């Protein structure tokens, strides 16, 4: 009895110490949804396999030479392999090739976990997605064997490079994306996390994270995103774009949006850009708060701003709702300005338009507004100076037309600053402009203030040339030397008092205490409330006729504005008119 047991133990020990032939897996061990039965066979001559047991007693099979491994619809092959029955793991080494229904892959090393159908490919990984021919190259790729839709997820850490084709077709240009982690999600989407950089011939973009889809070539970026396309740079909290027919067609920025180009800058809550034939066709700035645009020496504010473009040049600018237009450094923007005067909106100022725009959009007013109210827009309407230091106009709606440049602008040449040709204000309009009407009489500009239902401002060489209004009233102030008088002692060095006051300038008398008093143009029309209404020098239809000022050869008629609350008195029974002063 004892001898028979000892003999059995010796036989068992000899079996454990000797190698066993390659083992086919037991099909009864397969479990779970769509779990495959793993099989393998040599595909080259001179292959060998050796099976031993590990410390746990599980079989470990070493195979040299190329074998073909089959698991359902997935196939794998490599120069050598190790199959571990304990953890149900297969390790493939050297010239690994993996294929399933949605992808093919090449790498130096591959791990296949049978229980979970999980695959890890490492070292020089190249993956091709069969649905759209998108590729991925990186140090590591992880995915599930394709058995259902959710298994189509492919994760690639280690900053891979992805070539993503947005649409199907014969002639396609892909996006090239680099990021810390890339994910192929399903058959239609690619996700990128960690300093994502997106490039294509028509755009460059960067963000903390991004998503691209094959549907219409759309994409979303968030986390300090920016995009550059067709000489336009767009920034915001979130950026969306759509690329169809191999070209970028729409770009949208939401949340503290900012757009800049060769000829303009825009800041608003939301900015939408439309492109056609690889040129910017239109720019729309809207959303909560005030939108701000800068072009050359011109600043425009409004609840909603719309740029109509022509050949990447500004053709027309529309501002709707609380519209304001400001022309900076307007002293030299007029005809006949002297060399000592500061450059403004004319040709001399056009060369520095980029610096002017950058300073204006980064104004302290905009910064303070954003800090004071985080829920409001990043900009706020500025204070309008009444001392003649700037040209400005405001109204319910503003339409600005720009001159078209006859010369094509190359990609390397600096774009000339756009020159405004006409400004139209509609509804509750008012304007204050400085113009040199007669440079022979005086090099200092006149002041032209007007309010009305509609005001039109004409420009010549970028400077204001004429102001006209419908149902408008206003005041035109000439410099003292036009009337043969010496300039006031305290008015030669400042723009605030260069034209004097309305009453003294128009009458030709030198006032003793008002040489430095600017016209109060914001709160009310030029102040004549202390005097009774005087319309003897004005035609009876002054309020209905079209007022022209600043045009050579035309004489501006001085009009005294009645004070607030004054009403025309009724006629007396005898047919005579009585006048009363409130």
């Amino acid at each position: 009895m004892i001898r028979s047991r000892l003999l059995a133990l010796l036989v068992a020990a000899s079996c454990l110490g000797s190698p066993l032939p390659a083992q086919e897996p037991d099909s009864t061990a397969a479990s779970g949804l769509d779990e495959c039965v793993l099989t393998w066979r040599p595909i080259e001559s001179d292959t060998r396999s050796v099976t031993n047991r590990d410390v746990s007693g599980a079989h470990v099979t070493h195979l040299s030479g190329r074998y073909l491994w089959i698991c359902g619809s997935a196939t794998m092959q490599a120069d050598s392999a190790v199959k571990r029955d304990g953890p149900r793991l297969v390790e493939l080494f050297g010239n690994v090739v993996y294929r399933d229904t949605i992808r093919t892959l090449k790498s130096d090393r591959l791990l296949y976990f049978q229980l979970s159908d999980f695959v890890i490919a490492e070292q020089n990984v190249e993956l091709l997605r069969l649905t759209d021919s998108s590729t991925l190259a990186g140090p590591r790729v992880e995915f599930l064997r394709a058995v259902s839709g959710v298994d189509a997820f492919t994760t690639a850490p280690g900053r891979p490079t992805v070539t993503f084709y947005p649409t199907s077709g014969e002639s396609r240009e892909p996006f090239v994306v680099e990021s810390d982690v890339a994910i192929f999600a399903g058959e239609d989407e690619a996700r990128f996390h960690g300093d994502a950089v997106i490039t294509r011939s028509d755009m460059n973009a960067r963000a903390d994270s991004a998503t691209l889809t094959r549907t219409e070539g759309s994409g979303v970026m968030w986390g300090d995103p920016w995009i550059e396309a067709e000489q336009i740079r767009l920034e915001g909290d979130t950026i969306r774009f759509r690329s169809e027919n191999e070209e970028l067609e729409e770009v949208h920025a939401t949340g503290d949006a900012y757009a800049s180009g060769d000829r303009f800058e825009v800041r608003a809550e939301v900015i939408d850009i439309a492109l056609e034939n690889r040129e910017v066709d239109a720019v729309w700035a809207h959303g909560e708060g005030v939108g701000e645009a800068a072009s050359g020496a011109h600043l425009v504010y409004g609840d909603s701003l719309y740029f109509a473009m022509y050949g990447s040049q500004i053709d027309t600018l529309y501002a709707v709702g609380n519209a304001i237009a400001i022309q900076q450094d307007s002293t030299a923007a007029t005809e006949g300005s002297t060399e000592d005067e500061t450059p403004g909106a004319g040709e001399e100022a056009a060369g520095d338009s980029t610096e002017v725009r950058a300073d204006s959009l980064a104004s302290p007013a905009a910064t303070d507004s954003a800090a004071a109210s985080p829920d409001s827009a990043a900009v706020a309407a500025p204070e309008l100076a009444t001392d003649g230091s700037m040209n400005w106009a405001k109204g319910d709606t503003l339409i600005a037309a720009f001159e078209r440049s006859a010369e094509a602008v190359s990609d390397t040449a600096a774009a000339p600053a756009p020159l405004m040709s006409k400004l139209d204000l509609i509804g509750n309009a008012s304007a204050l402009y400085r113009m040199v009407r007669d440079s022979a009489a005086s090099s200092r500009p006149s002041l032209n203030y007007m309010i009305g239902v509609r005001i039109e401002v004409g420009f010549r060489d970028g400077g204001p040339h004429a102001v006209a209004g419908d149902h408008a009233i206003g005041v035109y102030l000439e410099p003292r030397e036009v009337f043969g008088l010496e300039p006031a002692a305290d008015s030669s060095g400042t723009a605030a008092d260069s034209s004097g006051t309305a009453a003294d300038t128009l009458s030709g008398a030198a006032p003793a205490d008002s040489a430095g008093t600017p016209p109060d143009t914001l709160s009310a029309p030029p102040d004549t409330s202390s005097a009774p209404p005087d319309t003897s020098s004005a035609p009876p239809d002054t309020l209905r006729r079209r007022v022209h000022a600043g045009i050579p050869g035309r004489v501006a008629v001085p009009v005294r504005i009645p004070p607030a609350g004054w009403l025309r008195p009724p006629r007396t029974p005898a047919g005579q008119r009585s006048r009363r002063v409130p």
Side-chain angles (χ1 to χ4, degrees):
M1 183 68 175
I2 296 176
R3 294 178 62 185
S4 62
R5 290 182 178 179
L6 181 59
L7 181 60
L9 291 175
L10 292 174
V11 172
S14 63
C15 293
L16 291 174
S18 61
L20 297 176
Q23 300 284 319
E24 290 289 335
D26 186 2
S27 60
T28 59
S31 62
L33 178 63
D34 197 23
E35 184 170 347
C36 69
V37 176
L38 181 64
T39 62
W40 65 95
R41 59 181 174 82
I43 57 176
E44 291 181 353
S45 60
D46 194 19
T47 59
R48 293 179 297 174
S49 65
V50 178
T51 302
N52 293 310
R53 292 183 184 271
D54 59 13
V55 293
S56 65
H59 291 125
V60 178
T61 304
H62 297 264
L63 302 98
S64 63
R66 293 193 74 80
Y67 277 77
L68 178 64
W69 303 78
I70 302 174
C71 180
S73 60
T75 62
M76 298 168 284
Q77 55 180 287
D79 293 341
S80 60
V82 177
K83 180 179 179 297
R84 304 180 188 276
D85 291 349
R88 304 286 298 277
L89 170 65
V90 178
E91 299 180 60
L92 306 177
F93 303 93
N95 298 316
V96 179
V97 178
Y98 172 92
R99 289 185 176 91
D100 61 21
T101 57
I102 62 174
R103 65 177 74 86
T104 64
L105 178 143
K106 296 180 180 180
S107 66
D108 294 340
R109 181 171 181 260
L110 185 142
L111 305 177
Y112 171 61
F113 297 86
Q114 290 180 257
L115 294 178
S116 60
D117 274 329
F118 191 62
V119 178
I120 298 177
E122 297 177 326
Q123 301 175 13
N124 301 318
V125 180
E126 297 178 5
L127 183 143
L128 171 65
R129 191 162 70 168
L130 300 178
T131 54
D132 59 356
S133 301
S134 295
T135 63
L136 185 153
R140 181 184 175 99
V141 169
E142 304 170 358
F143 57 88
L144 293 173
R145 179 179 64 89
V147 296
S148 63
V150 70
D151 299 331
F153 276 80
T154 302
T155 303
R159 195 156 188 85
T161 300
V162 174
T163 302
F164 183 81
Y165 288 89
T167 57
S168 60
E170 297 180 356
S171 146
R172 300 175 299 162
E173 183 179 2
F175 294 104
V176 178
V177 187
E178 294 182 5
S179 62
D180 294 342
V181 179
I183 301 174
F184 281 144
E187 300 180 0
D188 187 68
E189 187 175 298
R191 304 171 184 172
F192 308 93
H193 304 281
D195 192 19
V197 179
I198 306 174
T199 59
R200 202 170 72 166
S201 63
D202 59 344
M203 63 167 285
N204 293 305
R206 195 162 192 162
D208 291 341
S209 300
T211 298
L212 300 178
T213 61
R214 295 179 61 208
T215 306
E216 297 182 349
S218 61
V220 181
M221 302 185 299
W222 62 95
D224 296 325
W226 58 263
I227 183 172
E228 293 178 346
E230 311 305 333
Q231 301 180 355
I232 294 292
R233 180 183 174 94
L234 187 62
E235 303 173 10
D237 295 338
T238 302
I239 293 179
R240 301 175 181 270
F241 61 88
R242 186 171 66 89
S243 176
E244 192 174 7
N245 300 324
E246 310 300 321
E247 294 180 359
L248 200 63
E249 294 189 352
E250 297 177 3
V251 184
H252 310 274
T254 305
D256 194 17
Y258 170 80
S260 62
D262 291 337
R263 297 171 174 83
F264 68 93
E265 293 182 75
V266 184
R267 189 184 301 277
E269 181 66 20
V270 180
I271 296 178
D272 302 325
I273 297 179
L275 301 98
E276 185 175 356
N277 298 324
R278 297 207 169 189
E279 289 185 348
V280 177
D281 184 62
V283 179
W284 182 26
H286 56 103
E288 296 183 359
V290 179
E292 178 186 19
S295 180
H298 297 277
L299 291 176
V300 178
Y301 299 83
D303 296 341
S304 180
L305 304 175
Y306 180 83
F307 286 83
M309 311 293 289
Y310 176 80
S312 296
Q313 301 182 37
I314 300 176
D315 184 79
T316 308
L317 170 59
Y318 301 86
V320 180
N322 301 313
I324 298 175
I326 297 175
Q327 187 180 29
Q328 294 181 320
D329 298 328
S330 59
T331 304
T334 56
E335 298 179 80
S337 57
T338 62
E339 296 180 357
D340 295 336
E341 292 173 330
T342 306
E347 296 180 354
E348 186 176 354
D352 277 346
S353 62
T354 303
E355 182 178 355
V356 171
R357 292 199 304 267
D359 295 341
S360 61
L361 289 189
S363 61
T367 305
D368 295 341
S369 172
S373 178
D375 296 332
S376 63
V379 296
E383 294 283 340
L384 298 180
T386 59
D387 57 0
S389 60
M390 65 169 66
N391 293 336
W392 59 262
K394 65 178 182 177
D396 295 339
T397 301
L398 179 152
I399 304 174
F402 289 83
E403 297 180 4
R404 294 180 181 178
S405 176
E407 300 179 358
V409 180
S410 63
D411 295 337
T412 57
L419 300 179
M420 190 176 292
S421 61
K422 180 181 177 182
L423 181 63
D424 196 354
L425 299 110
I426 305 171
N428 297 317
S430 59
L432 174 64
Y433 277 89
R434 297 161 55 89
M435 295 177 291
V436 176
R437 185 176 66 84
D438 187 0
S439 59
S442 174
S443 62
R444 294 193 301 155
S446 304
L447 290 181
N448 186 355
Y449 175 75
M450 184 180 295
I451 60 174
V453 175
R454 179 169 182 167
I455 294 177
E456 295 181 2
V457 183
F459 290 82
R460 179 183 295 174
D461 296 331
H465 173 64
V467 181
D470 287 341
H471 301 281
I473 55 177
V475 173
Y476 185 78
L477 308 179
E478 293 276 24
R480 295 169 55 87
E481 50 266 35
V482 173
F483 302 96
L485 302 176
E486 292 294 331
D490 57 348
S491 64
S492 59
T494 61
D497 45 18
S498 61
S499 298
T501 60
D504 300 317
T505 303
L506 294 176
S507 62
D513 56 353
S514 61
T517 304
D520 187 2
T521 60
L522 278 183
S523 58
D527 189 10
T528 57
S529 58
S530 59
D534 184 7
T535 59
S536 58
S537 61
D541 58 344
T542 302
L543 296 181
R544 296 187 300 274
R545 65 195 293 253
R546 186 176 182 86
V547 178
H548 294 272
I551 304 177
R554 301 204 181 192
V555 178
V557 180
V559 181
R560 292 189 177 274
I561 310 303
W566 180 84
L567 299 176
R568 185 183 298 274
R571 294 181 176 274
T572 60
Q576 298 179 350
R577 185 185 300 273
S578 61
R579 175 176 299 177
R580 55 186 178 89
V581 179

